[in-house]
Amino acid sequence: SKMTVKAVKMPCTAPNVYTKVPDGGWGWTIAFAFFFVEALTYGIIKSFGVFFNDLMESFDETNSRISWIISICVFVQTFTAPLSTVLSNRFGHRFVVMAGGVLISTGMVTASFARNVVDMYVTIGVISGLGYCLSFLPTVTILSQYFDKRRSLVTAVASTGECFAVFSFAPAITALKEQIGWRYSLLSVGVLQLSIVICGSLLRPIIIKEQEEVKAQPPEEPTETKYMLENEQTRTSIESIDSGVEITTSPSNVPGKTKAEPKSEEPKEHVQILVDNNSTPPEPKTKLLDFSVMRDYSFICYAFFGLFATLGFFAPSLYIIPLSLSLGIGKDHSAYILSAMAIAEVFGRISAGWVLNKKPIRKIYIELICVVLLSVALFAFPFASEFWGLMTCSIFFGFMLGTVAGTHIPLLAEDDVVGIAKMSSAAGVYVFIQSLAGLAGPPLAGVLVDTTQNYSSAFYSCAAGMVLGAVFLSLVRPCKAGLCHHQQQCAEESAAEVVPDLPDDFIEMDIGKAENSGKGCDGV
């Protein structure tokens, strides 16, 4: 039977307890924090292209070797995703995000004193890369837990922080470099990223009350608690000295509102108990990392989609400015192209969130359409030969990138993939699989550029990866539908094999009744 629990006032650092997913509440504060976390993580990564030419001149290195800085950063960020999941489940999202903010700032500030490109590999690639993982993934995970019906829209809007960062940081850093140089500009960025610690302090965990109920057998001789279980109409009262929590049966079972039940129905043999000895709800026991998602074929296909699609996420943002410079476009106009891409991405994210928020709609198919159009945008870049052509391609690419980048991780919470229950572990494994593409993508594009002496080859490699991603994404729904059909078929077969337990003398009793009935008829 359902229980009602008295609300307990808790300090601001304690978890938020709800009877169901709030679709708001403190979730709006989480969305606000996620906006700035996006801006100070992915926004900085995508704006790093403004430092490329400065680093090549200062360290006398090639495109491919400079590309390894962001490549290693993205690889570490995605490869350590399971570690982020484990730490979040063990120590909480707030602590992990705050620690990530410290690592990001430390790596970026130290990189401003780098003497060679190897120092940049360690500082930005490893130290800041680990911080990016610890900051981003727990924030987007806890945001998904606060919303249900509005999840797609809120996540998409909050993720626009990345776009606003690129729009504002690219011109600002370019202007700042002219005044104080690239080293002090990088130092300023590192100090700014320390504000992620403040964002992390706002992440209050959420507990849904129904998930805290534990089924337990009543003790034979309880000392502090009485259990009165006579039948389904009997009121159950629980008085606990330590907990201070009063539990009564639901209104449907309270005297005066009792409904007649068939006498043949047996009384319940268990009681649902919610224990609270410290005036705070106990935290449910969860696995630190659930690898059972790897047995789900739909998730495997979705993970391969993320693996190949990642090839097209970062390289265009890194190479759009070098491509524009190679076409004879000035530095200022090149920065404007990157900013226009960021603005278009804002509208893409909001549009995708608005569309996916509509009911009923199969969100996985909308995502597939966006991925196909994103592939077309990548193929269009090599055909641009002047400023306005490149601007048009950038705006189209930015819009389509926003529709995919802002939704591909939150879509893990949909039933077509794994569902909200396994969202945390699935996100860790999913981003971990992406790490291979994050490591290979930018250097592969850099090698192609150095070999062909043409920046268009970088965009072709990204487009090829996006096309492969679209193929695997198209298999997600068929795999999920096939798996569900198989499970339903197995359930029907197992149900057909179930034979009701009958007493040993069942047949004898019926035979005896039949004989007595026959004698009665003969006597008449």
Side-chain angles (χ1 to χ4, degrees):
S1 58
K2 296 182 178 178
M3 302 291 182
T4 58
V5 184
K6 282 186 176 181
V8 181
K9 293 184 178 180
M10 296 172 293
C12 60
T13 57
N16 285 320
V17 181
Y18 297 94
T19 57
K20 62 179 182 178
V21 179
D23 255 337
W26 191 258
W28 297 117
T29 305
I30 304 294
F32 177 80
F34 180 58
F35 178 89
F36 285 98
V37 170
E38 273 270 1
L40 298 171
T41 53
Y42 280 103
I44 297 298
I45 292 176
K46 288 188 175 182
S47 301
F48 196 77
V50 300
F51 292 106
F52 256 52
N53 290 335
D54 299 288
L55 297 178
M56 290 172 60
E57 294 175 2
S58 298
F59 299 142
D60 192 22
E61 296 289 354
T62 61
N63 262 294
S64 59
R65 285 182 60 85
I66 297 298
S67 299
W68 275 101
I69 298 174
I70 292 300
S71 178
I72 294 174
C73 178
V74 174
F75 172 74
V76 173
Q77 176 189 1
T78 52
F79 185 80
T80 55
L83 174 64
S84 175
T85 300
V86 170
L87 293 177
S88 297
N89 291 334
R90 178 64 179 86
F91 300 104
H93 298 79
R94 177 188 290 114
F95 173 79
V96 174
V97 173
M98 294 175 69
V102 174
L103 286 175
I104 293 173
S105 180
T106 301
M108 196 67 70
V109 170
T110 307
S112 64
F113 300 98
R115 296 182 178 181
N116 51 60
V117 70
V118 177
D119 293 341
M120 303 288 280
Y121 293 162
V122 176
T123 53
I124 296 180
V126 178
I127 299 177
S128 292
L130 178 60
Y132 286 134
C133 178
L134 298 182
S135 299
F136 171 78
L137 196 57
T139 310
V140 70
T141 300
I142 194 172
L143 178 63
S144 298
Q145 296 173 0
Y146 270 90
F147 292 91
D148 182 17
K149 296 180 181 178
R150 302 174 179 171
R151 183 186 300 134
S152 298
L153 180 60
V154 172
T155 305
V157 173
S159 65
T160 58
E162 167 188 338
C163 311
F164 282 108
V166 176
F167 169 71
S168 58
F169 287 166
I173 295 175
T174 301
L176 191 62
K177 287 192 306 176
E178 300 294 333
Q179 301 296 326
I180 61 177
W182 71 267
R183 290 186 181 273
Y184 285 108
S185 298
L186 200 61
L187 176 64
S188 302
V189 171
V191 174
L192 180 63
Q193 288 178 309
L194 191 60
S195 58
I196 292 177
V197 176
I198 301 176
C199 298
S201 64
L202 300 175
L203 305 184
R204 291 177 60 180
I206 181 174
I207 295 178
I208 305 301
K209 189 177 65 176
E210 284 77 7
Q211 296 178 358
E212 301 168 15
E213 295 179 353
V214 181
K215 294 182 179 181
Q217 295 293 337
E220 296 180 358
E221 297 293 335
T223 58
E224 298 179 348
T225 308
K226 293 182 179 181
Y227 297 87
M228 300 174 64
L229 300 174
E230 297 177 357
N231 52 35
E232 193 64 25
Q233 293 80 28
T234 302
R235 176 178 179 178
T236 302
S237 62
I238 303 177
E239 298 177 356
S240 178
I241 297 177
D242 297 332
S243 64
V245 178
E246 179 181 351
I247 306 179
T248 60
T249 55
S250 59
S252 62
N253 294 330
V254 175
K257 295 183 180 181
T258 304
K259 297 180 180 179
E261 299 288 343
K263 293 184 179 181
S264 60
E265 182 177 350
E266 295 183 359
K268 301 289 183 181
E269 296 183 354
H270 66 270
V271 182
Q272 294 182 343
I273 307 171
L274 180 62
V275 182
D276 188 357
N277 294 328
N278 298 322
S279 298
T280 56
E283 301 223 349
K285 294 182 179 179
T286 57
K287 294 182 179 180
L288 295 180
L289 188 62
D290 186 4
F291 278 101
S292 64
V293 294
M294 294 298 295
R295 296 196 296 266
D296 192 333
Y297 294 129
S298 61
F299 173 76
I300 293 175
C301 291
Y302 197 82
F304 275 108
F305 149 69
L307 175 68
F308 291 107
T310 303
L311 293 173
F313 282 168
F314 295 100
S317 299
L318 295 176
Y319 284 100
I320 187 64
I321 290 182
L323 175 62
S324 61
L325 293 176
S326 67
L327 295 176
I329 301 173
K331 292 183 178 180
D332 294 337
H333 287 79
S334 299
Y336 293 150
I337 292 176
L338 187 60
S339 298
M341 181 188 297
I343 295 175
E345 189 174 344
V346 171
F347 289 101
R349 289 173 183 263
I350 296 176
S351 300
W354 180 77
V355 172
L356 294 179
N357 199 52
K358 296 294 182 181
K359 298 285 185 178
I361 191 172
R362 185 67 66 184
K363 299 180 181 181
I364 202 73
Y365 293 151
I366 301 298
E367 185 82 353
L368 177 60
I369 295 173
C370 295
V371 172
V372 172
L373 293 177
L374 184 58
S375 303
V376 174
L378 288 169
F379 276 116
F381 271 102
F383 296 97
S385 58
E386 41 84 29
F387 174 77
W388 288 111
L390 198 59
M391 176 69 79
T392 303
C393 293
S394 297
I395 292 175
F396 181 50
F397 170 79
F399 183 86
M400 300 315 306
L401 178 64
T403 61
V404 177
T407 57
H408 71 109
I409 292 181
L411 275 182
L412 290 168
E414 300 299 326
D415 293 334
D416 280 339
V417 189
V418 295
I420 188 62
K422 296 182 178 181
M423 165 71 176
S424 181
S425 295
V429 177
Y430 172 75
V431 178
F432 169 78
I433 293 175
Q434 282 186 291
S435 64
L436 299 177
L439 177 65
L444 174 61
V447 170
L448 292 175
V449 170
D450 292 335
T451 303
T452 62
Q453 296 297 314
N454 189 349
Y455 286 100
S456 298
S457 57
F459 292 89
Y460 282 131
S461 66
C462 295
M466 196 64 66
V467 170
L468 288 175
V471 172
F472 282 102
L473 183 61
S474 65
L475 298 176
V476 172
R477 177 60 186 166
C479 287
K480 174 63 71 173
L483 180 62
C484 293
H485 178 72
H486 176 71
Q487 291 177 346
Q488 182 179 4
Q489 186 177 10
C490 292
E492 292 176 354
E493 292 177 356
S494 61
E497 295 176 358
V498 174
V499 179
D501 295 332
L502 301 177
D504 296 336
D505 57 348
F506 180 81
I507 300 178
E508 296 177 359
M509 293 173 61
D510 285 351
I511 294 177
K513 289 181 181 180
E515 291 177 353
N516 293 334
S517 176
K519 291 179 180 179
C521 293
D522 294 340
V524 174

